[in-house]
Amino acid sequence: MSVEESEKTKAIGPAPEEDLIKLTSREKKKIDWRDKLYLAPLTTLGNLPFRRICKRLGADITCGEMALSVNLLQGSASEWALVKRHESEDVYGIQLCGSNAEAMIKCAELLDREIGVDFIDINMGCPIDLVYKQGGGSALMRRQSCLEHMVRGMTKVMSIPLTLKMRTGVYRDASVAHSIIEKAKLWDVSMVTLHGRSKEQRYLKLADWKYIKECAVVADPMPLYGNGDIFTYEDYKYQKENSGVAGVMIGRGALIKPWIFKEIKEEKHWDITSSERFDILKEYVNYGLEHWGSDNEGIEKTRRFLLEWLSFLHRYIPVGVLEQTQKINQRPPLYRGRDHLETLMISKSAKDWIKISEMLLGPTPPDFEFLPKHKANAYG
Ligand SMILES: Cc1cc2nc3c(=O)[nH]c(=O)nc-3n(C[C@H](O)[C@H](O)[C@H](O)COP(=O)(O)O)c2cc1C
């Protein structure tokens, strides 16, 4: 940002001109985005207990689960619970999803004023029909004048940085992220994360890091984070160095092996044992009971979220049993664990995940059933 721009006065607060509190953008809080490991926002799975684990294992930046601006404005208690921060989250943001610029601006102002967070992110990637049809999530990539109004309005009322998380575009062969990034530089956006897939594409093809690289050049000097398919420290190193991004965001890699952050920082593979993995589950359950309560309701909530997580965790193949490094998009070969617990942990059967939950939380209630919410397969 130029000196002239940083001297400009910014307005926060409700509309009438005379009521506006003036805030110079010099006073805006800043984040040093360089070289940080960013745990992706993950609906349902990226809850506070999970983020605590990722923080302990080396994640630098964390973000709450996507929250709908309209629900926050209506005071929905469950939506407000989604944006709660743990004290270990030292660079923490909230991801907002919405289609109406005015509601998003109001919500940003409210969050900035009422709760301590370090940044707010606009969700421009959500592919879910319900969100998309209403013009939110990835539909914002097609509604650029609304987006401009939304972004300019939000940066005006916020004292903390605004970031955008987008995909390459809506359609596979019509990438538009580069042109939005070019404009975002003029809108006072602090950082953009680009998930290298279109809305249409889902997880079936690998993320396009060549395009991410092109966008990092367009974004400069605004930092760009690259996102997609990072599963080992080698993936991280290769994509970070080759694309020239400021940092990398990790989603499924952290769900399948939350120790990925430690592996990246220490530049090695961790041949983690089944009992070390079980200790991580115990830690999660303790954080879960602390967060959701240790009464019956809290126990069953913790169990549900643990089962959701196990639907990702079982995809991890211990490095010690593999001849080649595991890739996120490869279907794991059939193999037997090195001990009984490891074999149980790699099971694809929800019945076995329930067994693991019973080892940690006691027997399930009668007629208990579980179907995972997310089927974002790591290997298509
Ligand atoms: C279970 C799940 C939930 C997700 N929820 C969100 C979300 O709330 N907001 C968002 O921007 N992206 C969400 N994503 C997308 C991820 O943040 C990330 O962009 C995507 O998974 C690609 O990164 P990866 O290849 O490292 O997983 C979600 C992904 C998964 C698998």
Side-chain angles (χ1 to χ4, degrees), residues 323-337:
E323 278 174 20
Q324 284 172 342
T325 321
Q326 187 179 0
K327 292 273 174 214
I328 204 161
N329 61 330
Q330 278 169 355
R331 193 174 287 276
L334 280 178
Y335 70 100
R336 195 186 284 273

Side-chain angles (χ1 to χ4, degrees), residues 159-318:
S159 65
I160 51 174
L162 178 74
T163 61
L164 309 178
K165 179 166 181 278
M166 62 180 76
R167 288 174 178 258
T168 56
V170 172
Y171 308 108
R172 198 173 324 182
D173 300 317
S175 299
V176 292
H178 61 282
S179 68
I180 301 177
I181 288 167
E182 184 82 66
K183 291 176 192 153
K185 286 159 77 174
L186 308 172
W187 301 341
D188 208 9
V189 168
S190 176
M191 184 275 272
V192 169
T193 303
L194 176 59
H195 174 196
R197 287 186 183 85
S198 64
K199 177 215 175 227
E200 266 186 352
Q201 223 172 306
R202 301 291 178 101
Y203 290 101
L204 296 178
K205 265 182 75 183
L206 286 179
D208 185 351
W209 276 87
K210 199 166 146 266
Y211 183 63
I212 293 177
K213 179 179 181 168
E214 286 166 28
C215 288
V217 173
V218 173
D220 189 60
M222 178 179 69
L224 186 97
Y225 266 55
N227 171 228
D229 307 330
I230 302 297
F231 198 59
T232 60
Y233 80 87
E234 289 104 328
D235 292 341
Y236 168 82
K237 226 175 150 180
Y238 179 81
Q239 301 296 16
K240 171 101 176 19
E241 281 167 14
N242 277 279
S243 63
V245 292
V248 168
M249 172 186 275
I250 301 174
R252 291 163 304 152
L255 289 173
I256 298 170
K257 48 176 222 185
W259 53 93
I260 188 173
F261 301 104
K262 184 176 156 70
E263 288 190 334
I264 291 173
K265 287 189 170 167
E266 294 175 9
E267 298 202 0
K268 64 176 193 204
H269 298 285
W270 181 9
D271 189 9
I272 186 168
T273 64
S274 56
S275 67
E276 285 168 324
R277 285 164 75 192
F278 196 70
D279 285 345
I280 295 178
L281 297 182
K282 273 191 207 157
E283 186 185 347
Y284 179 82
V285 164
N286 285 336
Y287 294 160
L289 296 177
E290 211 178 282
H291 183 59
W292 291 297
S294 50
D295 55 355
N296 276 347
E297 202 187 323
I299 292 172
E300 291 318 313
K301 256 195 176 160
T302 304
R303 188 192 306 278
R304 290 268 165 205
F305 286 109
L306 172 69
L307 289 168
E308 294 289 349
W309 189 23
L310 286 167
S311 77
F312 280 88
L313 277 172
H314 80 277
R315 298 176 195 175
Y316 172 70
I317 310 176

Side-chain angles (χ1 to χ4, degrees), residues 348-378:
K348 294 183 180 65
S349 158
K351 280 196 186 130
D352 287 325
W353 309 338
I354 292 172
K355 249 188 228 164
I356 296 175
S357 87
E358 290 183 322
M359 289 160 73
L360 292 154
L361 288 160
T364 52
D367 305 324
F368 182 86
E369 276 181 38
F370 173 72
L371 259 184
K373 270 193 191 163
H374 287 273
K375 294 180 191 70
N377 235 333

